[in-house]
Amino acid sequence: MAYPLKDIQIPEDANKELLIAKHTKYLYDFAENKDSFEYVMTEHLRLSGIFWSITALDLMGTLRDFNKEDIIEIVKSCQHSNGGLSAAPRLDSHILYTLSGVQILVTFDALNAINADAVVDYVCSLHQKDGSFFGDKWGEVDTRFSLCAVATLALLKRLDAIDIESTTNYILSCMNFDGGFGRRPHSETHAGQVYCCLATLSILNQLHHVNAEQLGWWLCERQLPSGGLNGRPEKLPDACYSWWVLTSLAIIGKLHWIDKDKLSAFILACQDSDGGIADRPGDEVDPYHTNFGLAGLSLLGENRLKKINPVFCLCQDVIDRLKLKPQILDP
């Protein structure tokens, strides 16, 4: 028995133009209104939220008015005695927010604001004998944390601090029969985890282990008739997967396998007329989907946006300044 695909209908009056000025205002207003319910309730994501916002603004070429000094001070206040960074000063350090903090600082060319050697020590302390990484001292393991660790060290030019062979082997142990990757060995393939594993292998120059044809097919099947992408079968499309799926396709040289026009139309339809991008048309906007929606449009070649690097989720000019060249497979 055949089941219908879960999908949405794009409204006929949906936005069809990129609203750069309104997205810029939305992000600046969100950052400045520190008494809003949304701002207060996202303290546990604060450093990542700042990263999403400044990356989106950098993509749009409107980062110049952001208070660079204040942001750098916030990042500094989030570094703990163990070297790691937390989402906010009162919270515990975690590899997720350690990467966000480093990404923010490299965007502003301000890595000297924190103790980089202590960050390296913290990342290495989370590396396990099987090649996996804990997210923090409590011991959760996830391939997201492998990417966070490897990307952090790469941005700090300290990949030599970890054992690359065991790190690679752990990622490969999470590869599934469909060519994709899960959060741990034997876990279901998910587009977000696919990106994490591919980006890790890209940084480590180990993409030759990937079956690009098989994985590319699985990723392309994430596109629904609406043009949007989902993260796994039988799920609704979500604008954030315009990043997780597209960047994975870009890394393995299969970006041209997606219907770019339909996906672009889906992302634009997720815009609010007052600024910001939501997961789906008509839903509430947030900085997370705004950033990854814009990042997806950049990968699609939107000429009003700067070029984004598909591995580090930073504008390409930042990666060029750092002289990093992650591995990308030829189309």
Side-chain angles (χ1 to χ4, degrees), residues 10 223-228 259-267 300:
I10 295 181
Q223 188 163 36
L224 299 169
S226 65
D259 188 324
K260 296 182 179 181
D261 291 339
K262 290 185 70 173
L263 178 54
S264 179
F266 174 85
I267 300 171
L300 292 171

Side-chain angles (χ1 to χ4, degrees), residues 18 22-24 26-27 52-53 55-57 59-60 239-240 267 270-272 275-279 284-297 305:
L18 181 57
K22 291 186 176 182
H23 296 326
T24 299
Y26 162 71
L27 291 168
W52 300 327
S53 296
T55 301
L57 291 167
L59 280 170
M60 296 186 290
C240 74
I267 300 171
C270 293
Q271 298 178 111
D272 188 279
I277 297 176
D279 57 349
E284 289 293 325
V285 302
D286 57 71
Y288 172 86
H289 287 93
T290 301
N291 175 55
F292 290 118
L294 292 171
L297 288 173
L305 298 173

Side-chain angles (χ1 to χ4, degrees), residues 63-327:
L63 182 57
R64 56 190 173 274
D65 295 326
F66 220 70
N67 194 320
K68 172 181 173 181
E69 289 71 26
D70 283 356
I71 295 301
I72 292 173
E73 285 302 315
I74 291 173
V75 176
K76 286 174 63 176
S77 72
C78 291
Q79 186 169 32
H80 295 261
S81 59
N82 63 6
L85 279 71
S86 57
R90 297 182 298 173
L91 305 180
D92 291 339
S93 54
H94 195 285
I95 194 66
L96 289 171
Y97 307 109
T98 300
L99 174 59
S100 292
V102 170
Q103 287 170 312
I104 292 165
L105 294 179
V106 297
T107 299
F108 289 133
D109 195 16
L111 273 177
N112 59 354
I114 58 171
N115 184 338
D117 289 338
V119 172
V120 174
D121 290 342
Y122 174 70
V123 172
C124 291
S125 74
L126 299 174
H127 200 193
Q128 305 305 301
K129 290 182 179 179
D130 65 355
S132 66
F133 283 86
F134 287 170
D136 58 15
K137 64 182 180 180
W138 302 111
E140 181 185 6
V141 172
D142 190 307
T143 46
R144 291 178 301 155
F145 308 151
S146 295
L147 171 60
C148 290
V150 169
T152 297
L153 294 176
L155 292 171
L156 296 175
K157 307 293 183 68
R158 287 300 312 276
L159 276 176
D160 61 298
I162 58 168
D163 180 63
I164 290 176
E165 183 177 3
S166 67
T167 303
T168 299
N169 287 339
Y170 181 76
I171 293 295
L172 296 179
S173 74
C174 299
M175 186 186 294
N176 292 321
F177 70 93
D178 50 19
F181 298 84
R183 59 185 296 268
R184 299 178 70 170
H186 313 299
S187 295
E188 176 188 13
T189 294
H190 187 284
Q193 309 299 143
V194 169
Y195 159 70
C196 290
C197 293
L198 287 181
T200 302
L201 295 175
S202 168
I203 295 168
L204 299 178
N205 200 34
Q206 298 292 321
L207 284 177
H208 58 278
H209 293 291
V210 175
N211 186 333
E213 299 291 318
Q214 184 182 33
L215 178 54
W217 181 262
W218 186 89
L219 289 166
C220 286
E221 285 191 321
R222 306 281 60 77
Q223 188 163 36
L224 299 169
S226 65
L229 301 168
N230 62 19
R232 51 194 168 128
E234 297 304 313
K235 296 295 182 180
L236 289 172
D238 186 320
C240 74
Y241 290 109
S242 304
W243 170 256
W244 309 117
V245 174
L246 274 191
T247 191
S248 298
L249 287 167
I251 290 171
I252 62 174
K254 305 299 183 186
L255 189 57
H256 58 290
W257 284 13
I258 282 287
D259 188 324
K260 296 182 179 181
D261 291 339
K262 290 185 70 173
L263 178 54
S264 179
F266 174 85
I267 300 171
L268 293 175
C270 293
Q271 298 178 111
D272 188 279
S273 57
D274 291 326
I277 297 176
D279 57 349
R280 286 177 281 278
D283 286 355
E284 289 293 325
V285 302
D286 57 71
Y288 172 86
H289 287 93
T290 301
N291 175 55
F292 290 118
L294 292 171
L297 288 173
S298 175
L299 287 173
L300 292 171
E302 168 56 58
N303 59 18
R304 297 181 62 191
L305 298 173
K306 292 169 65 176
K307 184 178 180 181
I308 195 159
N309 182 273
V311 175
F312 290 100
C313 195
L314 292 165
C315 287
Q316 186 60 46
D317 57 1
V318 175
I319 300 305
D320 290 342
R321 170 162 45 81
L322 294 171
K323 298 180 179 179
L324 294 175
K325 294 184 178 180
Q327 184 184 19

